[in-house]
Amino acid sequence: MIEPLPLDHGHLQKLVTADLVRPDHLLGAHPVTENGVEGVRFGVWAPNAHHVSVVGDFNGYNGFDNPMQRLDFGFWGVFVPSARHGQRYKFRVTAADGRSEDKMDPYGTFFEVRPATASIVWNQPFQWTDDAWLQARTPGLDRPVSIYEVHLPSWARRDDGWFLNYRDLAHRLGEYLQYMGYTHVELMGVMEHPFDGSWGYQVTGYYAPTSRMGSPEDFKYLVNHLHALGIGVILDWVPGHFPTDSAGLAHFDGTPLFEYADPRRGFHQDWNTYIFDYGRNEVVMFLIGSALKWLQDYHVDGLRVDAVASMLYLDFSRTEWVPNIHGGRENLEAIAFLKRLNEVVHHMAPGCMIIAEESTSFAGVTTPSPFGLGFDYKWAMGWMNDTLRYFEEDPLWRKYHHHALTFFNAYRTSENYILAISHDEVVHLKKSMVMKMPGDWYAQRAGYRAFLALMWTTPGKKLLFMGQEFAQPTEWDHDAGLPWHLADHPDHRGVMNLLRRLNGLYRTRPDWHVADTKDEGLQWLSADDVDNSVYAFLRRDPQGGAWSVVVANLTPVYRDLYPVGVPQGGAYRVLLCTDDGEYGGFGTQQPDLNARDEGWHGQTHHLRLNLAPNSVLVLTPAE
């Protein structure tokens, strides 16, 4: 446990000048001993408040017992000798107009279970055992990164319908991640939030894991256990907006403080939330301190920054907006914040990855700052939209959209991409992944298996939302656990078996992951067979020399002895066929896997392959 910084002029000045990247060491609730007396020191930022006091279990929520002293630069502080670990508290903030409101601690590390909103004094030790993991972790640009996106409250629940504890989840989830072969898990909704239906994207506790599933130590146990199993942990993090709940950050001192004052900049009409004021150093440090809290104190391996596009553009989803000082639409303050965030994180938490969910063509998202924003990865939203649109087409018309699947290759090396099929694609009447596919139930599963195989063999790291690994037929329901009973049915178990195989190949074959960001990582063999809707390409490891051939037949038509060029002669073996019976297919056989000397597709040799309907076939030279 770290000794808190003194609430003196020098440290407060560091915060207001953006030189204190861990403001939670200064503000919030800290059990301390002053002049031999044990108690809790409280600190808060409320520059426009007329009066602030701390109320809680220690004073019967009496606002007169523990008034806070106004300090320099708009901060307030007080030492309460009667306060102890585990007690609830709030800040009673009286605005200039005389109105008082009880507020959650912006730097609180533990909170009551919703709908209650009190902060809890908390500062417990935890025995970490993951030093070796922390020393070895890396953003992994040349390594396999296969991410399982999980909403913990609905991944699984207790028999009585309540949430599982983080410690129970550590073992259940960890065992499952190992079984499926994922390298990372991305957790939604971990930071404290008042409304279950926000999925955790409207945060009130930026420094606290939600108490729905246990204590901060319980969450640390989850991270520590997953590290012991060799699994990295990524959290969704939301620095773009926060809820309007009166107990939270909204109008914290009676005035717009954490948010922009002008609603044309400070209010999201789509989400009914407030937008952080990135022009205030205290707000910028609050957010950067939150990021470092999770990466340093909770040993989290990465953050997926939500809704970056909404931060970058002043006209995002609005008709009335205020231009920047140059008359443009870019939020220059938010851009400066994101650059500073990534610089600080990469310096203070080396080896961690910061991922942008950025849905526009903003240049340089993964270019190091100061020339770019400095993220490690960006979600490939263009790839996702194009690929889903193609697979949702009736196969009869796919030939008119053939290049939707090849267009990603035109720009895939412009950023470091993660191919993400997230929760957003399986809610709000968009259907689950398998139900997006056209045709009957067999054709839907065949199409979905082909989709997964193409996703795993396309350059870019991978992310798949929970339930889609066993072809969940219904949309995600955040109020219920996943329909795990389906995983025992052969139709669904087959898709799960395929994903296990894909993860296994992806992790062990360097040609599938080491050159994701390099042109040499993929070479098209046939990108123009529009009439047959067949695609063929090579995945390559330009350093080690390993390579494999990927052939996709994306219509429900069997293609006999289809010629595919290969760069060398000799025998080949099948690494994967999505039509195998193990995965729920017919089990199409290949009568001859010896390359013929005749050239094809610009290669020196070719194979004659039997391509099953709606299938992907992957081959490699025999040893």
Side-chain angles (χ1 to χ4, degrees), residues 251-564:
H251 287 72
F252 190 82
D253 62 359
T255 67
L257 185 65
F258 286 88
E259 66 270 37
Y260 284 112
D262 189 330
R264 293 174 297 175
R265 286 190 121 185
F267 185 72
H268 264 307
Q269 295 177 337
D270 291 351
W271 303 327
N272 191 36
T273 53
Y274 288 126
I275 301 169
F276 283 106
D277 184 347
Y278 307 105
R280 289 183 182 264
N281 287 338
E282 297 90 343
V283 174
V284 168
M285 290 299 99
F286 168 79
L287 291 171
I288 289 177
S290 166
L292 290 177
K293 174 77 174 179
W294 296 103
L295 299 172
Q296 292 182 326
D297 295 6
Y298 284 99
H299 292 200
V300 166
D301 304 291
L303 299 173
R304 199 275 296 186
V305 182
D306 180 65
V308 170
S310 74
M311 301 169 64
L312 294 177
Y313 297 105
L314 297 165
D315 62 346
F316 180 86
S317 192
R318 64 175 71 243
T319 55
E320 291 187 61
W321 54 283
V322 182
N324 62 35
I325 59 173
H326 304 299
R329 56 194 286 258
E330 296 81 11
N331 188 333
L332 303 179
E333 294 167 346
I335 291 170
F337 157 69
L338 291 171
K339 291 183 178 185
R340 178 79 188 279
L341 165 74
N342 288 312
E343 288 173 349
V344 170
V345 163
H346 290 129
H347 176 68
M348 302 290 291
C352 293
M353 64 175 72
I354 308 297
I355 304 163
E357 185 214 7
E358 203 286 304
S359 56
T360 74
S361 57
F362 190 92
V365 173
T366 59
T367 300
S369 61
F371 304 105
L373 296 182
F375 286 93
D376 296 292
Y377 292 104
K378 169 180 172 171
W379 274 13
M381 308 295 280
W383 167 88
M384 180 270 296
N385 288 321
D386 289 341
T387 307
L388 286 182
R389 193 178 304 115
Y390 178 90
F391 271 86
E392 288 175 304
E393 283 286 343
D394 186 310
L396 183 65
W397 308 110
R398 283 180 178 171
K399 63 182 179 180
Y400 301 111
H401 306 275
H402 189 79
H403 294 295
L405 292 193
T406 62
F407 182 60
F408 181 56
N409 198 58
Y411 64 90
R412 65 176 178 80
T413 60
S414 63
E415 304 277 7
N416 303 328
Y417 283 110
I418 292 177
L419 311 184
I421 298 297
S422 74
H423 63 278
D424 278 330
E425 309 317 315
V426 294
V427 290
H428 302 322
L429 303 180
K430 295 179 183 176
K431 302 180 183 178
S432 69
M433 283 299 297
V434 70
M435 301 307 290
K436 293 178 191 289
M437 306 295 151
D440 60 18
W441 176 232
Y442 180 86
Q444 287 178 312
R445 287 182 292 119
Y448 184 44
R449 293 194 304 267
F451 174 92
L452 290 173
L454 268 184
M455 177 176 173
W456 254 254
T457 53
T458 295
K461 310 310 179 187
K462 323 298 176 190
L463 179 144
L464 189 68
F465 183 58
M466 66 181 196
Q468 308 314 302
E469 75 276 16
F470 59 82
Q472 178 178 343
T474 55
E475 289 188 346
W476 169 50
D477 180 1
H478 69 269
D479 286 326
L482 291 180
W484 285 108
H485 64 280
L486 293 177
D488 294 325
H489 190 282
D491 287 358
H492 298 274
R493 173 63 64 170
V495 176
M496 180 180 282
N497 290 340
L498 172 66
L499 195 66
R500 286 188 68 205
R501 176 61 174 163
L502 287 169
N503 272 335
L505 289 169
Y506 176 64
R507 294 178 66 153
T508 56
R509 290 198 60 87
D511 49 322
W512 283 32
H513 62 254
V514 298
D516 280 338
T517 61
K518 298 180 175 62
D519 289 330
E520 301 87 348
L522 181 145
Q523 177 185 342
W524 282 102
L525 298 172
S526 175
D528 299 312
D529 190 354
V530 172
D531 290 333
N532 292 314
S533 295
V534 173
Y535 303 79
F537 57 88
L538 300 177
R539 284 305 310 274
R540 289 186 176 277
D541 170 13
Q543 299 298 321
W547 54 275
S548 50
V549 183
V550 181
V551 186
N553 174 28
L554 300 181
T555 57
V557 177
Y558 182 86
R559 307 201 182 280
D560 185 27
L561 299 179
Y562 185 91
V564 175

